Amino acid sequence: MEFATVGVVGAGVMGVGVAQNLAQTGHQVVVVDISDEVLDNARRELRNSLRTYALFNKNSGIDMAAVTRRIEFTTDYELLAKADFVVENVTEDWGIKQQVYEKIDRICRPEVVFAVNTSAISITRVGSATTRAERVVGMHFMNPVPMKPLVEVIRGYHTTPETIDTARRFLTGMGKECIVVEDVPGFVSNRVLMLTINEAVFLVQDGVTDAASVDKIFKGCFDHRMGPLETADLIGLDTILKSVEVLYESFNDDKYRPAPLLKKMVAAGLLGRKSGEGFHRYR
Ligand code: NAD
């Protein structure tokens, strides 16, 4: 099997989803994060997510025990030496991503492709933190990963056509389709989505209406399955804030200034589903 062993760096919301999807499609997965506590939580999230997947896909015949056995959770980066492909999903923060890439560039075999799962950080910039910029590609997965059939693939300045082909084959092996776009801040999806969410937060902040009404308008009027603030809660308000800040800094354009209410909620620990409360309550 091509990409028999895949390294997944970061075991948060996205890392767990990517690892689950990979294991369900028969790959061996090595998941790396910084502490045993985070990894214990990731194991719990994986169990819950597998149960939800089985519930929504009754005919999938998914063997939960086999899927779980294919995933190795570790804090030891050196185990990434056996990876045939790496998907990085660490915190949306340039300083953290930069350190991670310098490390994995040293550990992983030179021919291994690095896929950057990011909401807005430049793929070209990530490539420059490695000695293999031609084999660094953006892979913007959607959440929850096992349920979403489409992935936005981003071509960095130095990404070669061979790497794009490799990325396509890798995603086909995960049962996904992809659309390839150029490297601009926020790519296509988040340049539109983050601005929409940020503007929705301004509406709530300005007292125009409440979060439930904003979401209801989008669902009832435009047939969206979720409103922008429900989507924000699903993604995580900290990730939203970081993404809007990246857009603001990258374009130097006031239209991307983060809503003060968004900053306040993140400072208060209201991060959305993952903390139990954001624009809506989950506990
Ligand atoms: P998260 O906060 O849930 O998880 C990030 C994980 O990275 C944490 O478990 C953290 O411990 C880990 N981490 C931090 N430093 C690390 C290091 N040095 N080595 C290994 N692990 C480290 O974030 P998330 O929502 O999973 O997002 C991860 C990435 O995916 C971000 O770049 C985000 O922008 C992107 N993304 C998120 C979504 C979403 O809906 N949440 C969607 C698409 C892309």
Side-chain angles (χ1 to χ4, degrees), residues 24-280:
Q24 282 179 205
T25 46
H27 302 80
Q28 294 293 324
V29 190
V30 177
V31 180
V32 183
D33 208 303
I34 45 176
S35 73
D36 290 331
E37 196 187 338
V38 175
L39 293 177
D40 285 344
N41 190 45
R43 284 188 192 92
R44 259 194 311 277
E45 289 300 324
L46 174 70
R47 275 196 298 276
N48 291 342
S49 178
L50 278 169
R51 272 197 284 269
T52 309
Y53 185 90
L55 204 67
F56 281 94
N57 300 273
K58 289 227 164 68
N59 300 323
S60 66
I62 184 173
D63 180 344
M64 291 204 224
V67 169
T68 309
R69 268 198 307 275
R70 287 192 201 108
I71 306 179
E72 182 177 9
F73 290 94
T74 182
T75 52
D76 183 3
Y77 263 81
E78 298 296 328
L79 295 188
L80 292 173
K82 60 183 170 184
D84 303 308
F85 194 100
V86 171
V87 184
E88 170 276 313
N89 318 264
V90 304
T91 313
E92 183 78 349
D93 178 292
W94 170 245
I96 294 177
K97 293 228 191 247
Q98 187 180 21
Q99 276 187 5
V100 165
Y101 278 94
E102 284 166 3
K103 211 184 245 176
I104 62 177
D105 193 37
R106 189 175 42 75
I107 294 168
C108 297
R109 299 194 306 275
E111 71 275 16
V112 169
V113 166
F114 293 163
V116 190
N117 189 8
T118 171
S119 301
I121 290 176
S122 159
I123 305 310
T124 305
R125 195 177 185 198
V126 171
S128 71
T130 73
T131 58
R132 62 181 89 194
E134 68 284 5
R135 277 187 293 282
V136 174
V137 62
M139 213 169 256
H140 182 209
F141 287 93
M142 306 298 148
N143 181 23
V145 179
M147 312 270 213
K148 300 285 177 169
L150 191 65
V151 177
E152 197 178 22
V153 165
I154 303 109
R155 193 194 331 262
Y157 186 88
H158 293 292
T159 312
T160 57
E162 292 72 31
T163 299
I164 297 288
D165 283 348
T166 306
R168 270 189 209 283
R169 287 200 310 282
F170 175 75
L171 287 169
T172 303
M174 285 182 81
K176 309 254 184 252
E177 274 187 65
C178 67
I179 291 187
V180 182
V181 303
E182 297 303 323
D183 187 20
V184 291
F187 326 123
V188 171
S189 54
N190 279 342
R191 185 147 153 204
V192 176
L193 180 66
M194 295 300 160
L195 205 51
T196 306
I197 290 173
N198 197 43
E199 205 55 38
V201 181
F202 270 114
L203 286 169
V204 175
Q205 176 189 295
D206 296 348
V208 176
T209 188
D210 58 11
S213 302
V214 171
D215 286 332
K216 204 165 173 191
I217 287 170
F218 276 79
K219 289 187 284 191
C221 300
F222 304 126
D223 279 347
H224 287 194
R225 265 198 282 174
M226 295 172 77
L229 297 173
E230 286 169 316
T231 306
D233 279 354
L234 177 70
I235 294 172
L237 301 194
D238 50 344
T239 299
I240 300 286
L241 176 59
K242 287 206 166 98
S243 307
V244 178
E245 283 171 344
V246 170
L247 290 172
Y248 184 41
E249 286 155 20
S250 307
F251 288 108
N252 286 318
D253 187 333
D254 274 359
K255 76 177 175 186
Y256 297 106
R257 75 216 177 285
L261 176 61
L262 181 61
K263 290 184 177 176
K264 190 173 174 178
M265 290 177 73
V266 172
L270 304 181
L271 305 183
R273 281 179 192 244
K274 64 182 165 187
S275 73
E277 187 176 348
F279 287 98
H280 304 277

